[in-house]
Amino acid sequence: MTSNPETGFRENEVIDDDFSPTKSDVSKILCVGRICLDIVQMCEQFPAEDSTQRSIDCRWQRGGNASNTCTVLSLLGQSCELLACLSADEHVNFMQDDLYKYKIDYSHCPIIKGIGCPISTIILSLNTGTRTIIYHNQNLPELTIKNFEQLNLAEYSWVHFEGRNIDEMLLMIKHIENYNKSLNGTHDCSKKCMPITISVELENPRSSLRLLNLLSYIDVVFIAKDFAKNQGFNNMKEVIHTIGQDAKLRGAIICAWAEEGAIARTPCGAIVQSSAFPPHKVIDTLGAGDTFNAAVLYYLNKSKVKFIYKCKEAVYANDNKLCDDSTISKQDIKQKNFDIKNLEYSRIKFIDEIVLQRAIKLACRIAGAKVGSRGYDCLDKIFNHIL
């Protein structure tokens, strides 16, 4: 098979037939964090200090890690919701219109009056492929547990957090834990309740120690390259062999390392890796990490929903002695060491070597394609191309 120079993907290569975005929708992914306004200037080269230079492209776009992650999830066909504080300043209509354009639910976002929207000014250098970010925040409040408690958790199968506002985030995580515990003993397959898997992105070096203390509460952890380097790690293999190995981490750990690809460890300790898929030409690296995270979340969430539905069928069949017609046979159940009473409420049993390796490989491909394109709007077409 030959490679497509536009996407870096091999022609006619299929990731998984069951993962078509045209299939029936699954429970939503909720992304909790920050939204801001990005003012992006693309230059041939980074400007010298105290100079004047023309840019070759300029755009405004909605930014922020959680916000960007939602954009990519929606383009991949995944129902999602953003929970972030929105400023009621002159930019609010632009933000809301853009969220609506990308079919991102923002109905629970608190609207804050009297404080301006956070703004990022970004300079993209075509010469080096770098992106330089100057961030300004006028102290827009962070989300609180009261904001989170307004949600109906039954709507979500996954909640993804930016690693920020740690005290309130921990309260939100405990709120999810209480919800998951309330599902124990509920075996009615007609109900659409689903345990919520929790993931978090560790990116902010300033809160590194406190973020690492969250590992025992998290199902899937994304370690950003900048965060890892601040911790003294020189490459992604050092990260995967060190962080969480002291039994603090109960789930999976994932680390992307730009042009070196990504590496991940399953809850059982198996390590998988994917090479990078660089584009023919680097155009726009802004949001590449958010794109990678979103693609992983997309694949893992779809895998989880598929897994749990099969398990519910097995529970129903076992209770009614109809295993001969079940999607999962008694032999399958025995081989996988399933706990019938509690399986449908496990949030991480579906993350095996095959699922995790496919997830990071897909994510590396989509992130590579994003780097070779302006913004995000190409990603849905690229994703459909590789299915």
Side-chain angles (χ1 to χ4, degrees), residues 53-76:
Q53 179 175 317
R54 285 182 179 271
S55 64
I56 59 177
D57 185 33
C58 179
R59 68 182 187 269
W60 282 25
Q61 67 182 32
R62 174 175 44 81
N65 289 19
S67 172
N68 292 339
T69 300
C70 279
T71 298
V72 178
L73 284 171
S74 184
L75 287 169
L76 299 184

Side-chain angles (χ1 to χ4, degrees), residues 24-30 73 77-81 152-159 179 191-197 297-298 301-302 304-306 308-309 312:
S24 59
D25 191 20
V26 299
S27 297
K28 285 192 296 187
I29 295 177
L30 174 70
L73 284 171
Q78 169 63 54
S79 176
C80 60
E81 179 175 349
N152 176 12
L153 294 183
E155 295 182 9
Y156 313 105
S157 61
W158 200 293
V159 176
Y179 169 79
K191 293 184 178 180
K192 294 184 179 180
C193 58
M194 185 172 297
I196 295 173
T197 302
L297 292 173
Y298 168 83
N301 188 57
K302 297 278 269 189
K304 169 191 172 178
V305 172
K306 181 179 176 182
I308 288 180
Y309 281 167
K312 286 191 174 186

Side-chain angles (χ1 to χ4, degrees), residues 264-298:
R265 191 174 72 234
T266 70
C268 294
I271 294 175
V272 296
Q273 193 167 346
S274 172
S275 60
F277 293 83
H280 180 67
K281 182 180 180 181
V282 174
I283 302 295
D284 182 358
T285 59
L286 180 64
D290 300 329
T291 301
F292 175 88
N293 292 350
V296 170
L297 292 173
Y298 168 83

Side-chain angles (χ1 to χ4, degrees), residues 3 13 17 30 32 92 107 113 117 178 222 257-258 286 373:
S3 294
E13 184 169 4
D17 285 332
L30 174 70
V32 182
V92 68
S107 58
K113 297 181 180 180
C117 173
N178 290 335
F222 293 89
W257 208 272
L286 180 64
S373 307

Side-chain angles (χ1 to χ4, degrees), residues 32 142-145 161-174 200-215 217-218 227:
V32 182
E142 296 278 1
L143 292 163
T144 68
I145 183 61
F161 292 94
E162 284 186 37
R164 59 185 308 121
N165 195 22
I166 298 173
D167 291 334
E168 293 295 317
M169 183 174 66
L170 185 56
L171 294 175
M172 296 175 196
I173 291 171
K174 290 181 178 179
V200 67
E201 175 189 18
L202 306 191
E203 184 185 54
N204 187 353
R206 291 175 297 177
S207 304
S208 57
L209 292 178
R210 298 199 66 205
L211 285 171
L212 289 171
N213 288 335
L214 290 174
L215 294 184
Y217 301 97
I218 308 301
F227 181 92

Side-chain angles (χ1 to χ4, degrees), residues 125-377:
S125 171
L126 284 181
N127 186 40
T128 60
T130 60
R131 90 294 183 262
T132 303
I133 302 174
I134 304 170
Y135 183 67
H136 176 68
N137 181 12
Q138 302 180 51
N139 295 319
L140 188 72
E142 296 278 1
L143 292 163
T144 68
I145 183 61
K146 290 184 178 180
N147 301 134
F148 197 80
E149 288 173 342
Q150 304 304 310
L151 304 172
N152 176 12
L153 294 183
E155 295 182 9
Y156 313 105
S157 61
W158 200 293
V159 176
H160 175 67
F161 292 94
E162 284 186 37
R164 59 185 308 121
N165 195 22
I166 298 173
D167 291 334
E168 293 295 317
M169 183 174 66
L170 185 56
L171 294 175
M172 296 175 196
I173 291 171
K174 290 181 178 179
H175 186 63
I176 297 172
E177 293 280 5
N178 290 335
Y179 169 79
N180 284 337
K181 289 177 182 178
S182 74
L183 298 180
N184 287 330
T186 304
H187 302 297
D188 185 351
C189 291
S190 66
K191 293 184 178 180
K192 294 184 179 180
C193 58
M194 185 172 297
I196 295 173
T197 302
I198 303 169
S199 61
V200 67
E201 175 189 18
L202 306 191
E203 184 185 54
N204 187 353
R206 291 175 297 177
S207 304
S208 57
L209 292 178
R210 298 199 66 205
L211 285 171
L212 289 171
N213 288 335
L214 290 174
L215 294 184
S216 59
Y217 301 97
I218 308 301
D219 302 313
V220 178
V221 176
F222 293 89
I223 306 290
K225 179 181 177 181
D226 288 345
F227 181 92
K229 291 179 72 173
N230 182 265
Q231 295 295 302
F233 297 108
N234 297 311
N235 57 68
M236 59 186 183
K237 289 185 178 180
E238 290 182 2
V239 174
I240 216 69
H241 286 289
T242 305
I243 293 182
Q245 290 286 26
D246 55 1
K248 285 185 179 179
L249 178 62
R250 69 184 182 192
I253 182 171
I254 300 166
C255 181
W257 208 272
E259 65 279 356
E260 294 183 24
I263 195 167
R265 191 174 72 234
T266 70
C268 294
I271 294 175
V272 296
Q273 193 167 346
S274 172
S275 60
F277 293 83
H280 180 67
K281 182 180 180 181
V282 174
I283 302 295
D284 182 358
T285 59
L286 180 64
D290 300 329
T291 301
F292 175 88
N293 292 350
V296 170
L297 292 173
Y298 168 83
Y299 195 95
L300 291 184
N301 188 57
K302 297 278 269 189
S303 298
K304 169 191 172 178
V305 172
K306 181 179 176 182
F307 177 81
I308 288 180
Y309 281 167
K310 285 185 176 181
C311 294
K312 286 191 174 186
E313 290 174 7
V315 171
Y316 181 85
N318 183 72
D319 290 344
N320 293 277
K321 299 182 180 180
L322 294 173
C323 281
D324 54 326
D325 293 326
S326 176
T327 304
I328 300 179
S329 68
K330 284 183 177 180
Q331 183 63 27
D332 290 333
I333 295 170
K334 183 177 180 180
Q335 287 176 351
K336 292 181 179 293
N337 194 28
F338 287 166
D339 179 348
I340 290 298
K341 291 184 179 180
N342 297 310
L343 180 58
E344 65 255 51
Y345 306 110
S346 170
R347 292 112 64 173
I348 57 175
K349 282 196 175 187
F350 67 95
I351 307 178
D352 58 19
E353 291 179 62
I354 294 175
V355 166
L356 193 56
Q357 203 280 327
R358 286 178 175 175
I360 64 171
K361 185 176 182 181
L362 174 67
C364 282
R365 289 178 165 180
I366 293 178
K370 184 266 168 287
V371 168
S373 307
R374 179 183 184 274
Y376 303 98
D377 287 346

